[in-house]
Amino acid sequence: MYYSTLIASFAASVAGAVTVVDLSDTSWTLENGDRNISVPGKVPSHVHLDLLTSQVIDDPYYGLNDFNLRWVALSNWTYTSQVSGLSKKGNINTFLLFNGLDTFADIRFCSQPVASTNNQFRQYFFNVTDILSSCDSSAPDLQIEFGSAPKIVDDIANQPGQETWPYFLTVPFEFPNRQFMRKEQSDFGWDWGPAFAPAGIWQKAWVVQLSEDEVYVRNSIFDLYREGQLNNLPPNQTANWVLNASVDVIGVVPEGASMNFKITDAATGEQAGSGDLMNVTNHGDVITGSVVLNATDYKLWWPSGLGAQNLYNITIEIVSKSGKSLSVTKRTGFRTIVLNMGVISDEELAKGVAPGNHWHFEVNGQPFYAKGSNFIPPDAFWPRVTPARIRQLFNSAIAGNQNMLRVWSSGAYSPDFMYDIADELGILLWSEFEFGDSFYPTDPDFLENTRLEAVYQVRRVNHHPSLALWAGGNEMESGMLLIVQTFYPDRYDYYLHEYETLFLDTLLPAVYGNTRSISYTPSSTSKGYLSLNFSNPIPMIERYNNATPGAIYGDTDYYNYDARAAFNLSTYPLGRFSNEFGFHSMPSINSWKQAVPPEELSFNSSMVMLRNHHYPPGGLNTTNYRNSSLGMGEMTIAAEMYYPVPSKTDPIANFSAWIHTTQIFQADFYKSQIQFYRAGSGRPEHQLGCLYWQLEDIWQAPTWAGIEYDGRWKVLHNVAKDIYQHVIVAPQWNVSTGILQVYVVSDLWDEVRGTASLGWVGWDGSVKNINDEAGDVDFTIGPLNATLLATLNIAELALSSGLNTSEAVFVANLTASGTPPNTEATKTYTHTNWFTPTPLASAALVDPGLSVGHDNSTDEFVVRAEKGTSIWTWISLDEDDADEVIVAFNDNGFLLRKGEEKRIGYSLINGNGQRAGWRDRVGATSIWDNTLP
């Protein structure tokens, strides 16, 4: 049930003859007089997309067009449409309603000025009744001129008396001065994406005509929470529900209007509740009421893997004294979701949890392990992001055993259809206001503009059960305030005040003032709050550096591009939750073929390097070879340090093999960190969340993504899927001590029992009889916990047992029984993991003799290692087939022992799978193949 559909249904439900003109259905012209350009336009759209449709420009994503097309962002553009069928009767009021104008727009109607806008994220509506009544045309022009955002923010920055910040406090990626605009911050560039700075009517727009006694619903908020619940505090799970409904209208709700509700099960259509709302308050443009609902009448909504996604349709009807009515229907779910940042209790201390504060999520009163990744804008041009594209990405996230995505804070607020799909699939969306890696103005106009943006967005999406959190901005405390402390300590108090003015004094009330069901934190990474007192005007006081030695607070992020430190557990941060970490890798050869010409298909070609924005140019130069070469070098060094590197005679095959090796390192490094954080659930840090950077790509380039722009899974997404299973065995190698610890980890809510088999296997396939703790080990894991199975001193084993670390791999298998959350049935869990005591670059690898074939009877692929142990076994389509068919195999990037056979299913990501014979051309490789010419 998408928001655009709701708008139409709202209009239909208003008594009387409301006229609504959907501006998506009118003809538009896009013009730039200076360049003599006039082409058809669309709504919603962006200028780049309309120019592309008319072949004025080439594909913005091809080659170096992110540089070549800067003239589009540096120009002004005008959209014009003739709006017909409007009434000029004296009792009719006419409004323009825009759900999104990107960004600096001057609006004219019938050649008369209406308004100017400067916020991509606000909903705007304007009364144009007087203009229409005096207009001579029966089809008046609606004209929207978009100014160049880069030029306008430069002008703002150069205004007399304008605040300036030191360089590191407003880090530019390409276009500077993004802190002055309420526009997608990554539109001006980021280290994983281009800087197109698009403009246009990027969301739906309407002309609405109302008689004097009619209203039009433009927004609403439904808030479901437990009686007595307050933000950020775990509520009483036995308390009844409260439904608070508030409806924003164009027009005036008549005095004496009442409100009632009806709740139906979205799956069955059966009515679950109805009645009147109480405590109705009517301010004319907004009407609010509430009701207490019996707690036992409604099934709970749970995230994926933790229970069912039970959904309900709630209809709120507003009825005037004369009997006229309008209704608003939203699909929602009954759940509580809290970010618990409270103090560690004495009971928890007695169980071995380190002192400090919590930093974890609880759903319906139950702490759970959040497993997932960070979601960035899936396209530089949001109008071409479709529900089908989001569903494809979210299906991949679910297939990857993820239950939470952090929707990163310097893109755009998620469309309703994105939350709708997350509601259905059970993906929690940690959501953020669009601020990041910069300080921002705190003048009254900027703060009010921001407040209105935040209030609109909070009210728009609050009913979605997938909404997990509102965070103020990206890395504001862990990054920006830390930079101030380090480089500008004498200005710390000043910049702390600026930070709190925006992120506590402005954004927190926008959340707390509109909802009780959602938690708020001012920064994505922080030590949490020091105190939370709802008797204060601003209840939250942040902890900052008020930390007790030995205590653990807050969540962490971690980036280290020195390959020598990779896999070193002592470098990983200790915290209660990890919200981002990562390392970049190349996209597949198939993605590169979409973006660059054949002559550029090599690792360090000009286009490949310049499409790598790690590290960003920090300005508008188009020859960023120096900074780009640093990022390319990091991938190269990591590959050479840990794996046999390719040196193939065919240049395209060599490029493809190098690409794959960078992906293996990325996956290997992430796997090490995810295992570390998950095992932390059973250590003193009691770590309960891991979200890696990042889920998906915005375009085709070297990035941190696990899913490429076309939906293709990198090695990372396959490996994360494996290590995000409910019950895993996790070898943890401490470089400093030479000790290998083997944990079993469970995120189930009940005890798990099982047996793990530990042993050493030679690359030639032989079983190594090493006198250590190998063998079968029985184990029990408590709820949301980890158990240490074995501790091995690798150096001592090499001396006492003759272990040649270059000739063997440690292999761990487990079989366990446990009960999935919210079920009664016992399930068997299996998992295999490995550890190589020497980097594969110096391991005595042998040809594993891989074979793969397709079993037509089961539609599975059968993979077998005939000659030796295969590590990083990779199943893939023939390169030409992979240009048309994108497949996700059920298992990939795995270990296969000599003589072992694995049967693997698959699912189609893109393409219809009808390309003749592709299944017969599927191949299998391992890291051994890097040694072949």
Side-chain angles (χ1 to χ4, degrees):
M1 184 176 293
Y2 303 145
Y3 189 67
S4 57
T5 305
L6 288 173
I7 282 287
S9 68
F10 296 158
S13 68
V14 178
V18 175
T19 299
V20 179
V21 177
D22 187 336
L23 294 175
S24 300
D25 299 331
T26 64
S27 297
W28 288 87
T29 301
L30 170 65
E31 296 177 300
N32 180 290
D34 293 340
R35 293 181 173 269
N36 197 29
I37 295 174
S38 180
V39 299
K42 284 182 63 180
V43 172
S45 191
H46 271 136
V47 170
H48 289 79
L49 301 180
D50 292 331
L51 295 178
L52 176 63
T53 299
S54 292
Q55 300 181 335
V56 175
I57 63 172
D58 294 330
D59 181 358
Y61 273 21
Y62 194 76
L64 299 179
N65 280 341
D66 56 321
F67 299 153
N68 300 332
L69 296 178
R70 281 182 178 162
W71 64 269
V72 179
L74 295 172
S75 301
N76 297 337
W77 298 91
T78 301
Y79 281 90
T80 303
S81 180
Q82 286 74 46
V83 185
S84 59
L86 300 179
S87 172
K88 296 184 181 180
K89 293 181 179 179
N91 66 336
I92 297 294
N93 291 308
T94 303
F95 298 86
L96 304 177
L97 174 61
F98 301 97
N99 271 8
L101 297 172
D102 185 8
T103 290
F104 297 98
D106 292 324
I107 304 166
R108 302 177 70 86
F109 189 55
C110 196
S111 302
Q112 299 299 309
V114 175
S116 297
T117 69
N118 62 354
N119 193 321
Q120 178 184 358
F121 309 123
R122 280 176 59 186
Q123 181 190 63
Y124 289 98
F125 64 99
F126 306 104
N127 191 329
V128 293
T129 303
D130 292 342
I131 294 176
L132 180 62
S133 64
S134 61
C135 184
D136 294 333
S137 173
S138 60
D141 283 350
L142 175 58
Q143 186 180 76
I144 305 174
E145 180 180 355
F146 290 94
S148 164
K151 288 184 175 180
I152 289 173
V153 295
D154 286 350
D155 290 342
I156 294 172
N158 292 322
Q159 290 174 350
Q162 184 61 264
E163 181 172 7
T164 60
W165 294 266
Y167 176 84
F168 292 116
L169 300 190
T170 56
V171 178
F173 291 87
E174 291 186 48
F175 289 114
N177 298 312
R178 61 183 172 84
Q179 69 272 19
F180 290 109
M181 66 181 187
R182 294 312 303 137
K183 173 176 171 59
E184 188 166 340
Q185 299 286 277
S186 58
D187 280 351
F188 274 30
W190 219 265
D191 52 5
W192 37 252
F196 288 109
I201 309 169
W202 76 294
Q203 292 199 24
K204 295 279 287 185
W206 303 266
V207 179
V208 179
Q209 290 199 299
L210 306 172
S211 63
E212 292 178 354
D213 59 346
E214 293 171 341
V215 298
Y216 185 89
V217 175
R218 63 178 185 85
N219 198 17
S220 60
I221 181 171
F222 294 0
D223 196 27
L224 279 169
Y225 55 91
R226 297 286 189 176
E227 279 192 297
Q229 182 173 348
L230 294 172
N231 309 77
N232 288 81
L233 297 177
N236 177 0
Q237 292 298 320
T238 65
N240 286 327
W241 294 100
V242 176
L243 167 63
N244 189 75
S246 184
V247 181
D248 304 322
V249 303
I250 298 173
V252 178
V253 177
E255 291 185 12
S258 61
M259 303 176 74
N260 61 63
F261 74 95
K262 182 174 70 174
I263 303 175
T264 58
D265 188 306
T268 67
E270 295 180 1
Q271 184 167 306
S274 64
D276 294 327
L277 297 189
M278 311 302 291
N279 304 313
V280 175
T281 58
N282 182 3
H283 296 286
D285 61 343
V286 56
I287 185 170
T288 302
S290 63
V291 66
V292 176
L293 304 173
N294 193 314
T296 61
D297 290 346
Y298 305 94
K299 297 174 289 186
L300 296 177
W301 181 95
W302 295 91
S304 176
L306 303 180
Q309 290 76 57
N310 297 301
L311 295 169
Y312 292 86
N313 291 319
I314 297 182
T315 298
I316 299 296
E317 186 180 40
I318 303 169
V319 184
S320 69
K321 284 184 175 180
S322 64
K324 292 183 177 180
S325 67
L326 65 85
S327 64
V328 180
T329 298
K330 289 189 171 186
R331 192 183 64 183
T332 187
F334 288 80
R335 63 89 180 93
T336 64
I337 181 75
V338 175
L339 172 57
N340 186 342
M341 295 184 281
V343 176
I344 300 297
S345 68
D346 290 340
E347 181 181 359
E348 290 167 317
L349 292 172
K351 293 179 179 179
V353 178
N357 281 57
H358 292 288
W359 210 106
H360 67 256
F361 290 89
E362 298 177 6
V363 62
N364 299 322
Q366 174 64 53
F368 66 98
Y369 201 97
K371 302 179 295 189
S373 54
N374 283 255
F375 181 93
I376 66 165
D379 202 288
F381 307 103
W382 269 98
R384 65 180 181 185
V385 177
T386 63
R389 172 83 189 284
I390 296 300
R391 189 174 290 278
Q392 176 200 90
L393 284 170
F394 283 10
N395 281 338
S396 289
I398 291 293
N401 294 313
Q402 301 189 22
N403 57 34
M404 178 179 283
L405 298 176
R406 175 187 165 222
V407 184
W408 174 77
S409 70
S410 292
Y413 296 97
S414 303
D416 275 87
F417 66 73
M418 186 163 143
Y419 285 100
D420 279 318
I421 296 168
D423 294 344
E424 295 166 10
L425 298 181
I427 299 177
L428 288 164
L429 299 181
W430 163 339
S431 301
E432 300 186 344
F433 297 107
E434 305 306 329
F435 300 89
D437 295 302
S438 179
F439 280 84
Y440 291 85
T442 54
D443 61 88
D445 288 345
F446 188 91
L447 292 176
E448 178 62 8
N449 197 7
T450 296
R451 186 191 69 82
L452 292 171
E453 163 195 329
V455 167
Y456 168 65
Q457 298 294 343
V458 168
R459 292 173 71 84
R460 178 179 66 89
V461 304
N462 190 75
H463 61 285
H464 292 285
S466 57
L467 177 65
L469 174 71
W470 278 111
N474 179 59
E475 299 174 331
M476 296 305 301
E477 292 187 22
S478 63
M480 305 315 296
L481 286 177
L482 180 61
I483 290 172
V484 173
Q485 278 188 305
T486 304
F487 296 103
Y488 318 105
D490 58 322
R491 299 283 286 164
Y492 181 77
D493 288 344
Y494 175 83
Y495 288 119
L496 178 63
H497 176 71
E498 279 204 337
Y499 167 71
E500 292 189 337
T501 297
L502 177 56
F503 293 97
L504 285 175
D505 299 347
T506 304
L507 293 178
L508 182 146
V511 178
Y512 282 15
N514 285 281
T515 173
R516 290 194 187 182
S517 60
I518 294 298
S519 300
Y520 175 77
T521 182
S523 174
S524 62
T525 311
S526 75
K527 293 184 175 68
Y529 60 71
L530 182 65
S531 66
L532 189 66
N533 186 343
F534 283 88
S535 65
N536 294 331
I538 302 298
M540 185 178 292
I541 297 176
E542 283 290 88
R543 178 172 296 279
Y544 303 123
N545 296 316
N546 295 295
T548 301
I552 297 176
Y553 306 96
D555 58 338
T556 64
D557 53 21
Y558 175 75
Y559 294 94
N560 191 333
Y561 299 106
D562 183 350
R564 293 169 299 181
F567 313 109
N568 186 342
L569 304 187
S570 65
T571 67
Y572 300 165
L574 284 178
R576 306 294 188 184
F577 194 107
S578 176
N579 72 61
E580 59 174 288
F581 56 91
F583 200 99
H584 48 305
S585 72
M586 285 280 204
S588 66
I589 189 74
N590 305 93
S591 283
W592 279 120
K593 285 158 65 176
Q594 300 163 12
V596 302
E599 62 271 18
E600 292 285 340
L601 291 173
S602 62
F603 197 87
N604 289 311
S605 73
S606 294
M607 283 189 181
V608 167
M609 288 190 67
L610 292 177
R611 289 177 71 94
N612 176 26
H613 290 192
H614 173 70
Y615 294 80
L620 296 178
N621 80 76
T622 58
T623 55
N624 186 38
Y625 292 106
R626 179 194 175 279
N627 288 359
S628 173
S629 66
L630 297 176
M632 303 296 286
E634 290 165 353
M635 289 187 288
T636 303
I637 291 168
E640 292 175 340
M641 187 173 291
Y642 294 103
Y643 313 98
V645 293
S647 182
K648 299 186 181 299
T649 54
D650 179 82
I652 298 298
N654 198 53
F655 182 37
S656 184
W658 267 97
I659 287 169
H660 189 62
T661 306
T662 70
Q663 291 193 16
I664 288 176
F665 172 77
Q666 180 192 40
D668 209 359
F669 191 19
Y670 282 50
K671 176 182 176 181
S672 169
Q673 294 181 72
I674 294 171
Q675 290 179 159
F676 175 79
Y677 299 132
R678 289 200 63 187
S681 64
R683 294 192 293 253
E685 62 264 34
H686 194 48
Q687 209 267 15
L688 290 181
C690 174
L691 310 177
Y692 63 80
W693 188 272
Q694 66 204 52
L695 176 70
E696 92 290 14
D697 264 329
I698 193 172
W699 71 333
Q700 308 94 333
T703 73
W704 294 253
I707 299 176
E708 297 175 19
Y709 179 68
D710 59 7
R712 195 181 314 267
W713 290 15
K714 287 184 177 179
V715 180
L716 166 59
H717 197 75
N718 290 275
V719 169
K721 171 186 177 179
D722 172 72
I723 215 67
Y724 273 157
Q725 293 184 74
H726 283 300
V727 183
I728 64 167
V729 57
Q732 299 275 283
W733 164 247
N734 190 313
V735 175
S736 302
T737 64
I739 299 297
L740 176 68
Q741 294 182 312
V742 185
Y743 288 88
V744 285
V745 183
S746 169
D747 62 16
L748 301 179
W749 296 345
D750 292 300
E751 189 175 83
V752 172
R753 295 178 181 271
T755 301
S757 174
L758 312 178
W760 294 89
V761 177
W763 294 115
D764 61 1
S766 61
V767 176
K768 302 292 184 180
N769 295 314
I770 304 299
N771 183 22
D772 61 4
E773 295 188 40
D776 291 342
V777 183
D778 295 332
F779 62 83
T780 300
I781 320 174
L784 268 181
N785 218 320
T787 296
L788 180 63
L789 282 185
T791 300
L792 288 72
N793 188 314
I794 302 300
E796 287 185 2
L797 286 177
L799 291 174
S800 63
S801 303
L803 172 65
N804 187 332
T805 57
S806 67
E807 294 181 352
V809 55
F810 177 81
V811 180
N813 297 284
L814 72 73
T815 301
S817 295
T819 304
N822 284 304
T823 67
E824 297 180 358
T826 299
K827 181 178 178 179
T828 299
Y829 297 90
T830 61
H831 187 242
T832 296
N833 210 335
W834 72 81
F835 162 72
T836 56
T838 190
L840 293 175
S842 54
L845 300 172
V846 302
D847 180 359
L850 286 174
S851 64
V852 60
H854 181 251
D855 185 337
N856 291 321
S857 65
T858 60
D859 197 16
E860 293 177 314
F861 294 92
V862 182
V863 189
R864 187 175 177 85
E866 301 287 357
K867 300 179 181 179
T869 303
S870 174
I871 197 167
W872 293 108
T873 312
W874 186 250
I875 314 303
S876 61
L877 276 67
D878 176 81
E879 183 183 314
D880 291 336
D881 293 332
D883 288 335
E884 297 184 23
V885 181
I886 300 177
V887 167
F889 294 97
N890 292 352
D891 197 0
N892 221 345
F894 49 85
L895 183 84
L896 201 61
R897 296 177 62 172
K898 181 180 178 179
E900 185 180 1
E901 180 180 286
K902 184 182 283 282
R903 302 182 71 86
I904 300 172
Y906 67 94
S907 57
L908 286 170
I909 299 293
N910 262 339
N912 57 19
Q914 298 304 306
R915 182 177 170 88
W918 71 264
R919 294 171 182 82
D920 298 325
R921 293 185 290 272
V922 165
T925 60
S926 73
I927 201 68
W928 158 259
D929 288 76
N930 276 12
T931 68
L932 302 178

